[in-house]
C-alpha cells in the first residue's frame, strides 16, 4: 500500500508522523508533495519519506490524501483528476466539501473518503470522523480506518453529521485552549507563575477527558463527584452557570456548524 499526501502542512505531518510511528506503512511507501521545498525537506528528514513538488507524482499512490487548504481544492483536483483511476482511494480533510461536491469536481466515479480530523493529531491524540461514498468497499474502509487510528481515534459517521463533527471536534480544540488559557490566567491572578499555571490547567483538562473516555461515565456524573456539599467546586460551578457557560458553548457550536454548512 503506497500513500500520497498532496500538501505537507501541519495536518499532513501529523498524519504521516502517526502512520510512520505505528508502522502501519513504511516510510519508503509514502510520498508527499508541496509547493514549498523547505517544508518537504523537513518532512523527509523527520520521517524518511519521499518528497516531490509535483502533485501528480503524489497522486499515483494507492491512497491519496488531499491535505491542502480548502480554497485550493478545486485547483488541485483539476490537476490530478484525469490521472485518477477507479482503483485508487482519495481521502479529503476539507470542511464543507461534500461527497457530491467532490464527485462533481472529479467528473467521474472515484472512491472517496471524506474526513474531519483535528489538530491534536499532531500529538497522536486526534479525533477523526469519516464517511465514504458507495464505491469504497468495507475492506477498503477498514484499511483507511487503520490509517486514521494511527494518529488518534476515528469513527465512521453518516455524512449529514459532518458539520456537527466540525463544531464538536474539528474546531473545539480552540475552545479548549481558550479555557486552559483562562484557567491559567486565574491561577496567575492568584499568584502562580504562568508556566506552572498552564501545566496545571492543561493536565487537569487532559485527565478529565481521559476519565470520560476510560470510565464511560456521563460527564455530569463525573462533575458531581468533584462537587462536595457547600464546597469550593460547587461554588465555582454556580458562577459558571450564572455567567452562561453552557449556553455560550452551545451557541458557539451552533455558529460553527452553521458556518460549516456555508450559511
Amino acid at each position: 500500500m503506497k500513500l500520497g499526501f498532496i500538501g505537507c502542512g501541519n495536518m499532513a505531518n501529523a498524519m504521516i508522523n502517526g502512520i510512520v510511528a505505528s508502522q502501519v506503512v513504511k516510510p519508503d511507501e509514502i510520498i508527499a508533495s508541496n509547493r514549498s521545498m523547505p517544508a518537504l525537506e523537513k518532512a523527509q528528514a523527520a520521517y524518511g519519506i519521499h518528497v516531490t513538488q509535483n502533485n501528480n507524482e503524489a497522486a499515483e499512490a494507492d491512497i491519496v490524501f488531499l491535505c491542502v487548504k480548502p480554497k485550493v481544492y478545486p485547483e488541485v483536483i483539476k490537476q490530478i483528476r484525469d490521472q485518477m483511476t477507479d482503483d485508487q482511494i482519495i481521502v479529503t480533510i476539507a470542511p464543507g466539501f461534500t461527497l457530491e461536491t467532490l464527485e462533481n469536481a472529479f467528473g467521474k466515479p472515484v472512491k472517496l473518503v471524506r474526513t474531519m480530523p483535528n489538530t491534536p493529531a499532531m500529538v497522536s491524540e486526534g479525533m477523526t470522523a469519516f464517511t465514504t461514498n458507495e464505491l469504497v468497499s468495507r475492506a477498503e474502509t477498514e484499511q483507511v480506518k487503520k490509517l486514521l487510528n494511527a494518529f488518534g481515534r476515528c469513527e465512521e459517521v453518516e455524512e449529514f453529521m459532518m458539520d456537527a463533527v466540525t463544531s464538536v471536534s474539528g474546531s473545539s480544540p480552540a475552545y479548549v485552549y481558550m479555557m486552559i488559557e483562562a484557567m491559567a490566567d486565574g491561577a496567575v491572578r492568584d499568584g502562580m507563575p504562568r508556566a506552572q499555571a498552564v501545566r496545571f490547567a492543561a493536565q487537569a483538562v487532559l485527565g478529565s477527558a481521559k476519565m470520560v473516555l476510560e470510565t464511560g461515565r456521563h460527564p455530569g456524573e463525573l462533575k458531581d463527584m468533584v462537587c462536595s456539599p457547600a464546597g469550593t467546586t460547587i461554588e465555582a460551578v454556580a458562577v459558571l452557570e450564572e455567567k452562561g457557560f453552557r449556553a455560550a458553548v452551545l451557541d458557539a457550536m451552533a455558529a460553527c456548524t452553521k458556518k460549516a454548512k456555508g450559511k
Side-chain angles (χ1 to χ4, degrees), residues 201-231:
Q203 182 62 39
V205 171
L206 174 64
S208 301
K210 193 170 183 179
M211 284 191 71
V212 171
L213 292 172
E214 294 190 1
T215 67
R217 292 183 174 183
H218 190 281
E221 181 185 357
L222 293 172
K223 178 262 296 177
D224 289 348
M225 288 169 58
V226 191
C227 295
S228 302

Side-chain angles (χ1 to χ4, degrees), residues 182-195 197-198:
M183 290 166 64
D185 283 345
V188 169
R189 182 177 60 184
D190 291 335
M192 184 177 282
R194 169 69 60 182
V198 170

Side-chain angles (χ1 to χ4, degrees), residues 99 103 109-112 131-138 140:
L99 292 173
E103 287 168 352
V110 289
K111 295 176 181 178
L112 290 168
T131 188
T132 73
N133 68 0
E134 69 282 356
L135 299 178
V136 181
S137 70
R138 290 318 301 174
E140 290 168 332

